[in-house]
Amino acid sequence: MASTSDIRKGLCIRFNHDIFKIVEFLHVKPGKGPAFVRTKLKSVTTGKVIDNTFSAGHKIDDVRVETRSYQFLYAEGDTYHFMNTDDYNQITLQKDALDAADLMKEGEVVTILFNTEDSMPLSVDMPAHVILEVTHTEPGVKGNTATNATKPATVETGATVNVPLFINEGDKIKVETEKGSYMERVKE
């Protein structure tokens, strides 16, 4: 058993007869009343995100997890195939178990969390950022903008990312996987 002081991003807990992963949390100490922790929890079985507030000192049932490196092989509809980089065993996961499935390209190495009790995969953690090539974007028109203007661009995985006007087709860009947002252009 853990308490609310042990809450951190990525922690898996057992809550309401399901296993949830903590996506966001905020410790709040109001001027009046007891402290509490406001959390955003994502179910690893259904993918549903809920908000919950734990009072300070509340006991939470954490789930023991272990992480393993897997390489993304290919997608087949909503089924994604991964290979263990150590023993080459392959597993398949459904799309709802992945956070940023549309930003994952073949060959990408990801971290998969497994429940140590029954060896069930809980969630897939992408790298903090990925480098993708822009396959389609409209040419940017200068002069009709007052501040930072963006345009939609389609990357090699099929995802759409808003990029600055100076990005052209064929450019490689760095995309933050958590928000799916443009970070910078990558020069080679």
Side-chain angles (χ1 to χ4, degrees), residues 92-123:
T92 57
L93 295 174
Q94 293 301 313
K95 185 176 184 174
D96 58 359
L98 288 83
D99 290 334
D102 55 344
L103 294 175
M104 194 166 36
K105 64 181 179 180
E106 293 179 1
E108 189 78 46
V109 176
V110 297
T111 304
I112 300 181
L113 285 112
F114 286 89
N115 186 346
T116 55
E117 295 170 9
D118 56 7
S119 294
M120 286 294 296
L122 297 177
S123 71

Side-chain angles (χ1 to χ4, degrees), residues 2-5 7 15 52-61:
S3 72
T4 53
S5 61
I7 287 180
F15 179 71
N52 190 55
T53 303
F54 296 102
S55 58
H58 182 82
K59 297 289 183 208
I60 54 175
D61 188 10

Side-chain angles (χ1 to χ4, degrees), residues 10-188:
L11 178 72
C12 291
I13 63 171
R14 204 175 305 278
F15 179 71
N16 283 357
H17 310 293
D18 198 2
I19 296 176
F20 288 88
K21 180 179 175 183
I22 296 177
V23 180
E24 290 178 14
F25 73 97
L26 178 68
H27 287 276
V28 179
K29 175 74 174 91
K32 185 177 181 181
F36 57 90
V37 181
R38 191 173 292 135
T39 59
K40 190 173 280 191
L41 308 170
K42 180 178 181 182
S43 170
V44 296
T45 54
T46 63
K48 185 178 176 184
V49 178
I50 62 168
D51 292 322
N52 190 55
T53 303
F54 296 102
S55 58
H58 182 82
K59 297 289 183 208
I60 54 175
D61 188 10
D62 59 333
V63 177
R64 289 182 45 110
V65 295
E66 67 180 41
T67 59
R68 299 180 199 150
S69 291
Y70 276 78
Q71 184 178 20
F72 172 57
L73 297 176
Y74 61 95
E76 195 174 44
D78 280 352
T79 306
Y80 286 73
H81 298 264
F82 295 91
M83 177 184 68
N84 191 324
T85 55
D86 296 329
D87 60 10
Y88 306 112
N89 286 336
Q90 293 185 16
I91 63 168
T92 57
L93 295 174
Q94 293 301 313
K95 185 176 184 174
D96 58 359
L98 288 83
D99 290 334
D102 55 344
L103 294 175
M104 194 166 36
K105 64 181 179 180
E106 293 179 1
E108 189 78 46
V109 176
V110 297
T111 304
I112 300 181
L113 285 112
F114 286 89
N115 186 346
T116 55
E117 295 170 9
D118 56 7
S119 294
M120 286 294 296
L122 297 177
S123 71
V124 177
D125 289 340
M126 293 274 294
H129 49 70
V130 291
I131 296 172
L132 300 169
E133 184 176 337
V134 176
T135 56
H136 176 73
T137 186
E138 299 295 325
V141 179
K142 288 185 180 179
N144 60 354
T145 59
T147 58
N148 296 351
T150 60
K151 60 183 179 179
T154 306
V155 293
E156 61 186 294
T157 59
T160 303
V161 179
N162 283 331
V163 297
L165 296 177
F166 60 82
I167 299 293
N168 299 313
E169 290 181 12
D171 288 351
K172 290 194 183 291
I173 59 172
K174 188 185 283 189
V175 179
E176 184 181 8
T177 54
E178 188 175 325
K179 296 178 184 152
S181 60
Y182 167 86
M183 289 177 70
E184 63 185 359
R185 180 168 49 178
V186 177
K187 300 267 190 195
E188 293 186 347

